[in-house]
Amino acid sequence: MIDDAMVPIARILGRGEALTVAPMLDAAGIIVHLGGEYYTSVSPDIVAIGGFRLTVPAWQHADASALVAEMLAQPEPEPNDHARRAIGRFGIATMGWMAIGVLPYVSLLGAKALIAILLSPVALFTLPVNPQGRGDYYLTIAAAD
């Protein structure tokens, strides 16, 4: 393999992690290419396209591996429940707006129109999934020890 060939160092599913690792490598003087950096969507399609691919030159792979191994040695932060609370608030707001919209039909058609209000939380199942967890890192043997 030639020294300037770009080799993969990571395949990451989370956009936030990818946009954190790439600048970290760049700040250390390592040439890095982030494939898919302009992909933004709230759908889980990033899993289908293989995630965000970080590649570095072959001659810098050992240095990048050492830097990434140091980062991975740090404990992961505790997950927060902000997203769960936000979805809960969104569900309550959705039910409120549905109640306001269906109220005239309830007065005209009776209790059958309440089914739309009672089934409105089911619409939350269509919210996209945010993949969590660390990506796949391809480190050299010396950095992994």
Side-chain angles (χ1 to χ4, degrees):
M1 178 184 316
I2 56 176
D3 283 343
D4 60 347
M6 298 297 276
V7 294
I9 186 105
R11 184 177 55 89
I12 302 173
L13 295 178
R15 179 175 163 76
E17 184 180 0
L19 293 177
T20 303
V21 174
M24 177 189 70
L25 293 171
D26 188 44
I30 297 170
I31 301 167
V32 63
H33 176 263
L34 176 58
E37 68 181 307
Y38 298 113
Y39 179 82
T40 57
S41 176
V42 294
S43 68
D45 293 336
I46 193 65
V47 176
I49 64 171
F52 300 96
R53 291 181 45 94
L54 275 77
T55 55
V56 297
W59 60 275
Q60 287 186 318
H61 192 270
D63 295 334
S65 293
L67 192 62
V68 170
E70 182 181 323
M71 177 203 69
L72 292 174
Q74 301 295 324
E76 286 193 51
E78 291 293 321
N80 58 39
D81 62 343
H82 298 303
R84 183 183 54 80
R85 286 187 291 165
I87 290 174
R89 289 186 195 126
F90 179 73
I92 291 170
T94 300
M95 288 181 64
W97 282 107
M98 288 290 289
I100 291 170
V102 173
L103 189 61
Y105 297 109
V106 171
S107 62
L108 292 174
L109 303 174
K112 288 183 180 181
L114 286 175
I115 293 174
I117 294 174
L118 297 176
L119 292 178
S120 64
V122 175
L124 292 177
F125 290 124
T126 63
L127 288 177
V129 177
N130 182 19
Q132 297 294 319
R134 286 205 167 144
D136 298 328
Y137 291 91
Y138 311 112
L139 308 178
T140 59
I141 301 298
D145 293 337

